[in-house]
């Protein structure tokens, strides 16, 4: 566990919100978050957007930094502004910005690779466009990059996505976890969509080639883990055409919540498509037994299994459950050991049944799809927001305590 970070000097600059200081939530040490002024640039670059932040959700990674000051090799060594699931209202735009204007509500994609630079890497612009794999990624609240739980932030225009009137700011903030689900559904496809070189939105009026959404039409999908990401993956799979979706968890509380949320209709889950099967797994059951229950729920065939937990037991369940020629998508990163022991060469393993294993790291080219899914009422994220807090010192401390406890807290949201 890292030592508590040491204070950074403030530059004393004020924000643009009526001359008031730009207040942000700074992570100083383990379970030590303080609301303090944050620096803000007085002038914008040509492609910059100044956003008054209005909604920020707490992610599991935020909680992990809050409790441990690190995630794997990402260590908080100095005070860091937390938060990356965010939306707000545009205050000011740079001279070259055309995609949004002051007063627009926008969702902010939190990760910026080197794609907007002249020397963009192969992942960003070398014919792949998978900028989520960029080694120089700057991502909100991933040290040493500051996050977005602040009164205002400055963000590149191509990462600000205008929201239609039918999509609220809270729903805009939920585009971030929903993006993980959309990207997972893309990764579930073989060979998947072709990714093209990045084109800055301001350079071309044509729609992004990545604006199209994947189709899971006719596929049976199993989801292991009924936390926020698992629920969003199940909703998204159904919205994108899956004909059978089963979701399972060992937690009775999570299973109960999943049964309530995935009940069908606009206010529960998503509209149209198949129904859901929600299963409670036994913690002591074998992977084979849990896999058999998932297969039964999906009429004996599972084309894709989404592991939203990411530990050895759930990956073994996923491999046993997935039918020959299918795909296991590893989304969760819950395993604390450096290695997993998985059935690779055996008759139920990967090689002899040609079961693919693919990983998911964040996402790319998803926000337009997320806005579309919510605008068209095909995925409803609102029931996942179980707790709401304001933006005072007391509120921030309480919100992180509640989110860290888990239980009935699924998505905790700040309203700034």
């Amino acid at each position: 566990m890292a030592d508590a970070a040491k204070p950074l000097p403030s530059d004393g600059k004020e924000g643009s919100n009526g001359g008031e200081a730009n207040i942000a939530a700074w992570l100083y040490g383990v379970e030590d978050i303080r609301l303090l002024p944050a620096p803000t640039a007085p002038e914008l670059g040509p492609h910059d957007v100044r956003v008054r932040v209005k909604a920020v959700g707490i992610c599991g990674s935020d909680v992990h930094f809050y409790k441990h000051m690190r995630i794997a090799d990402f260590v908080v060594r100095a005070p860091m502004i937390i938060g990356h699931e965010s939306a707000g209202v545009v205050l000011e735009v740079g001279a070259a910005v055309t995609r949004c204007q002051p007063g627009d509500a926008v969702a902010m994609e939190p990760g910026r690779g080197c794609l907007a630079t002249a020397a963009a890497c192969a992942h960003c612009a070398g014919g792949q466009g998978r900028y989520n794999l960029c080694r120089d990624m700057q991502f909100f609240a991933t040290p040493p990059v500051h996050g977005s739980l602040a009164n205002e932030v400055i963000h590149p225009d191509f990462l600000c996505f205008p929201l239609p009137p039918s999509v609220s700011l809270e729903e805009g903030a939920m585009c971030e976890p929903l993006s993980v689900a959309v990207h997972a559904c893309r990764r579930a496809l073989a060979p998947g969509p072709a990714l093209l070189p990045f084109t800055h939105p301001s350079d071309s009026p044509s729609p992004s080639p990545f604006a199209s959404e994947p189709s899971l039409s006719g596929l049976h999908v199993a989801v292991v883990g009924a936390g926020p990401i698992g629920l969003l993956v199940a909703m998204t799979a159904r919205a994108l055409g899956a004909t059978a979706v089963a979701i399972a968890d060992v937690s009775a509380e999570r299973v109960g919540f999943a049964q309530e949320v995935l009940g069908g209709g606009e206010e529960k889950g998503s509209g149209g498509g198949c129904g859901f099967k929600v299963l409670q797994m036994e913690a002591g059951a074998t992977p084979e037994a849990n896999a058999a229950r998932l297969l039964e729920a999906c009429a004996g065939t599972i084309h894709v299994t989404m592991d939203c937990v990411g530990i050895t037991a759930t990956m073994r369940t996923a491999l046993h459950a997935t039918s020959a020629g299918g795909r296991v998508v590893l989304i969760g990163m819950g395993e604390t050991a450096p290695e997993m022991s998985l059935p690779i060469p055996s008759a139920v393993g990967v090689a002899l049944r040609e079961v693919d294993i693919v990983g998911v790291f964040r996402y790319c080219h998803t926000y337009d799809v997320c806005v579309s899914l919510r605008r068209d009422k095909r995925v409803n994220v609102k029931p996942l927001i179980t707790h709401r807090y304001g933006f005072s010192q007391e509120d921030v401390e309480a919100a992180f305590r509640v989110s860290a406890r888990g239980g009935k807290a699924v998505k905790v949201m700040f309203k700034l």
Side-chain angles (χ1 to χ4, degrees):
M1 184 179 299
D3 295 332
K6 300 191 182 303
L8 289 175
S10 170
D11 66 356
K13 294 177 181 175
E14 295 180 334
S16 64
N17 50 337
E20 298 177 1
N22 181 27
I23 301 301
W26 295 79
L27 180 63
Y28 265 68
V30 173
E31 299 183 6
D32 181 5
I33 295 183
R34 310 176 193 179
L35 260 61
L36 295 169
T40 184
E43 295 184 6
L44 302 182
H47 288 289
D48 286 342
V49 178
R50 193 188 305 272
V51 180
R52 172 71 178 190
V53 182
K54 291 293 187 179
V56 179
I58 297 180
C59 174
S61 64
D62 296 320
V63 172
H64 205 280
F65 282 127
Y66 168 75
K67 294 175 69 174
H68 304 287
M69 293 292 283
R70 71 180 302 156
I71 296 176
D73 294 333
F74 296 106
V75 182
V76 182
R77 303 187 186 279
M80 179 185 76
I81 300 171
I82 201 74
H84 64 269
E85 302 178 357
S86 50
V89 176
V90 175
L91 292 174
E92 182 185 3
V93 298
V97 175
T98 59
R99 64 188 276 117
C100 57
Q101 59 186 354
D104 285 351
V106 293
M108 290 180 283
E109 183 175 346
R112 176 180 185 171
C114 65
L115 72 175
T117 66
C121 70
H123 290 304
C124 283
Q128 298 185 58
R130 295 169 70 175
Y131 57 85
N132 57 314
L133 303 179
C134 177
R135 284 181 168 270
D136 294 323
M137 171 65 69
Q138 298 182 51
F139 198 93
F140 276 158
T142 299
V145 181
H146 289 307
S148 57
L149 185 48
N151 291 135
E152 69 176 51
V153 298
I154 294 174
H155 209 46
D157 60 343
F158 61 89
L159 297 177
C160 294
F161 293 81
L163 300 173
S166 60
V167 178
S168 70
L169 288 162
E170 286 189 341
E171 292 169 302
M174 289 292 288
C175 282
E176 201 282 333
L178 182 58
S179 283
V180 176
V182 170
H183 188 57
C185 288
R186 279 189 177 144
R187 296 284 284 153
L189 302 174
L195 296 182
L196 306 178
F198 172 81
T199 299
H200 195 289
S202 299
D203 297 335
S204 173
S206 60
S208 166
F210 306 99
S212 61
E213 61 188 40
S215 172
L216 301 184
S217 178
L219 299 185
H220 294 188
V221 177
V223 181
V224 181
I229 295 298
L231 292 169
L232 288 169
V233 168
M235 291 179 183
T236 303
R238 187 176 90 164
L240 296 177
T243 54
V245 179
I247 182 169
D249 204 298
V250 297
S251 165
E253 199 162 42
R254 287 192 169 186
V255 166
F257 186 79
Q259 289 172 332
E260 177 183 345
V261 169
L262 302 179
E266 158 58 12
E267 291 307 315
K268 291 186 177 181
S270 55
C274 68
F276 295 98
K277 298 289 183 66
V278 182
L279 310 175
Q280 177 158 1
M281 297 300 190
E282 296 182 19
T286 65
E288 294 88 345
N290 285 332
R293 294 194 60 203
L294 284 170
L295 277 163
E296 182 181 5
C298 291
T301 300
I302 295 175
H303 302 102
V304 178
T305 303
M306 309 277 203
D307 183 359
C308 299
V309 182
I311 61 175
T312 298
T314 56
M315 276 297 287
R316 292 179 71 90
T317 295
L319 287 169
H320 282 289
T322 305
S323 300
R327 177 165 285 193
V328 173
V329 182
L330 176 56
I331 305 167
M333 300 175 67
E335 185 60 68
T336 56
E339 297 179 351
M340 288 184 181
S341 176
L342 302 175
I344 300 298
S346 69
V348 296
V350 172
L352 298 186
R353 297 190 304 122
E354 292 194 353
V355 173
D356 297 334
I357 301 175
V358 298
V360 167
F361 182 62
R362 295 174 178 156
Y363 42 79
C364 59
H365 311 292
T366 53
Y367 264 62
D368 282 327
V369 176
C370 292
V371 173
S372 174
L373 287 172
R374 184 55 205 140
R375 181 197 63 212
D376 299 338
K377 301 186 177 182
R378 289 179 291 156
V379 170
N380 183 21
V381 300
K382 290 186 288 187
L384 274 61
I385 304 172
T386 54
H387 294 70
R388 291 175 172 84
Y389 289 87
F391 192 50
S392 67
Q393 181 69 43
E394 182 180 359
D395 283 327
V396 171
E397 291 176 356
F400 271 87
R401 284 196 301 268
V402 167
S403 189
R405 282 199 299 267
K408 294 183 178 180
V410 178
K411 179 58 64 178
V412 177
M413 185 72 66
F414 291 105
K415 300 184 71 173
L416 283 72

